[in-house]
Amino acid sequence: MATEGSIEFRRFRPLRSSEATRQQNAETRLLGTEFVYPMFVINGKNRRDAVPSMPGIYRMSVDEAMREAEKAISVGIDRFLFFGIPDEKDDVGKRAWSPDEAVQRSVAELGTRFPDAQSITDVCMCEYTSHGHCGQLTGRIVDNDATLSLLAKTALSHAEAGADVVAPSAMMDGQVAAIRAALDDAGHSGVNILGYSAKYASAFYGPFRDAAGSTPSFGDRRSYQMAPSQRGEAMEEIEADVREGADYIMVKPALSYLDVIASARAKFPANQLYAYNVSGEYSMIHAAAANGWINLKDAALELLLSIKRAGAQKIITYFAIDAARWIKEKA
Ligand code: PBG
């Protein structure tokens, strides 16, 4: 304690006096190995189409995606989350479980070329349905129970292609249970499930829907994704996923939900907690930086750090490659 007149005060500044001191006293540190890199994969060859609303992000054919994976692996990233965009969409999303779609081929190819890398697949119908909703429709309602078997079939096709982890994101009740049962029945008990347990109906998915062509053709997703007002309900959603057999859990989006991340970490210490730094969170940083309003690297690293500090153990982020490089430069 120091004193100034009769007032005692504590000196905090000595621990901030140099970069080395600051580094040494860091309570939280970002690690490139904790990032998961999402990739949008398409059919064809040598294709790398820019996603206009997401600078630096592409829809890639499988060969290009493997080049991108190699780049990511060279900076220490070893987990990939695959989203597939089919050439043809229909009312139930049949291409989702086709063994020759881009996700299934990416998973197989990654396993052959980079056996130490982990493949995670997004299991949802919205990229494959003509109406853009996350499941099968009965009238204008997304039919929960009819969708479960479609999600289970899709997850199974990913497991058959060699996926390490399947990640259901449709927000259908019972989806983890349905997928766990289908995997176990087919002899894939070793395939893990990452539940998109607390997934909110968020305005921050806009650029992703642009990338995936998955904007709902009518209505919105509020009858199945969670309302932003809910924290208690998020804990119950997570608990349900864990009971149904989810190995890992997720809060999505990340930045507007740091309190939910912190609660989830405290309440479910035995399940690795993922947070999804979603497309809108990525694009708004890029947009502000492009205008010269903020520094891209500093802003991105600060946001990623906040997600980890809140309690996330893995961060799914489009910044993965850049951030891993920036962290390396700093070290
Ligand atoms: C599929 C899905 C979405 C995202 C991940 N999985 C879109 C949605 O629910 O509309 C969003 C990811 C992002 O914004 O980066 N259901």
Side-chain angles (χ1 to χ4, degrees):
M1 287 291 169
T3 51
E4 171 59 36
S6 60
I7 299 174
E8 279 203 345
F9 65 95
R10 179 170 157 199
R11 289 199 187 279
F12 288 98
R13 292 188 50 190
L15 292 182
R16 300 172 194 155
S17 59
S18 71
E19 187 53 30
T21 309
R22 290 190 289 271
Q23 283 287 331
Q24 194 186 306
N25 286 286
E27 296 174 44
T28 307
R29 241 182 266 271
L30 280 174
L31 294 174
T33 49
E34 292 165 341
F35 296 142
V36 178
Y37 189 44
M39 292 205 274
F40 299 105
V41 291
I42 54 178
N43 297 307
K45 253 193 133 55
N46 277 316
R47 285 177 67 190
R48 180 177 266 269
D49 307 340
V51 177
S53 55
M54 300 178 74
I57 299 298
Y58 301 85
R59 281 182 285 244
M60 294 168 286
S61 51
V62 178
D63 53 331
E64 278 294 327
M66 292 305 119
R67 258 167 235 140
E68 187 81 357
E70 189 168 17
K71 196 160 87 179
I73 289 166
S74 75
V75 293
I77 292 157
D78 54 10
R79 279 183 193 76
F80 300 91
L81 171 61
F82 292 105
F83 293 94
I85 305 149
D87 292 333
E88 288 156 43
K89 307 192 185 214
D90 61 61
D91 56 342
V92 289
K94 277 192 217 67
R95 300 303 302 170
W97 58 85
S98 161
D100 48 47
E101 270 300 333
V103 166
Q104 287 82 350
R105 286 187 293 112
S106 295
V107 161
E109 195 66 24
L110 189 82
T112 313
R113 300 201 26 196
F114 309 104
D116 294 334
Q118 205 179 43
S119 54
I120 309 175
T121 58
D122 184 79
V123 179
C124 191
M125 309 315 294
C126 68
E127 299 91 354
Y128 298 90
T129 53
S130 42
H131 46 74
H133 276 290
C134 301
Q136 187 176 326
L137 298 180
T138 297
R140 286 166 73 87
I141 306 281
V142 178
D143 188 330
N144 192 87
D145 298 12
T147 302
L148 295 180
S149 62
L150 308 184
L151 294 169
K153 262 197 266 198
T154 303
L156 189 56
S157 79
H158 295 169
E160 269 157 11
D164 298 296
V165 183
V166 294
S169 68
M171 286 301 277
M172 295 299 123
D173 296 325
Q175 61 185 9
V176 170
I179 290 172
R180 186 72 273 165
L183 292 176
D184 290 354
D185 280 353
H188 292 292
S189 56
V191 172
N192 295 164
I193 298 178
L194 162 60
Y196 276 71
S197 313
K199 177 175 175 181
Y200 289 88
S202 171
F204 293 99
Y205 304 150
F208 173 96
R209 292 180 189 170
D210 204 24
S214 63
T215 306
S217 60
F218 66 89
D220 53 45
R221 303 207 202 289
R222 284 183 292 177
S223 73
Y224 41 105
Q225 299 180 347
M226 286 180 53
S229 53
Q230 308 304 80
R231 184 167 57 195
E233 193 182 327
M235 298 307 113
E236 302 207 340
E237 279 276 8
I238 296 172
E239 194 174 335
D241 272 12
V242 170
R243 284 230 178 101
E244 289 176 32
D247 302 287
Y248 317 119
I249 56 180
M250 192 196 302
V251 173
K252 175 190 172 185
L255 291 178
S256 300
Y257 301 89
L258 295 176
D259 57 327
V260 181
I261 293 174
S263 297
R265 180 67 188 277
K267 226 169 157 210
F268 302 96
N271 297 85
Q272 279 256 325
L273 176 60
Y274 286 61
Y276 200 139
N277 175 220
V278 301
S279 58
E281 299 171 343
Y282 173 83
S283 297
M284 69 185 175
I285 300 296
H286 267 283
N291 274 294
W293 297 337
I294 55 173
N295 178 284
L296 179 71
K297 167 175 147 184
D298 294 343
L301 290 177
E302 185 175 334
L303 290 181
L304 292 169
L305 188 67
S306 76
I307 297 168
K308 179 156 178 194
R309 192 190 58 233
Q313 290 157 300
K314 297 281 184 306
I315 304 175
I316 304 170
T317 180
Y318 305 97
F319 283 117
I321 294 183
D322 287 337
R325 278 203 189 117
W326 294 329
I327 294 165
K328 271 197 171 167
E329 278 165 21
K330 250 178 137 175

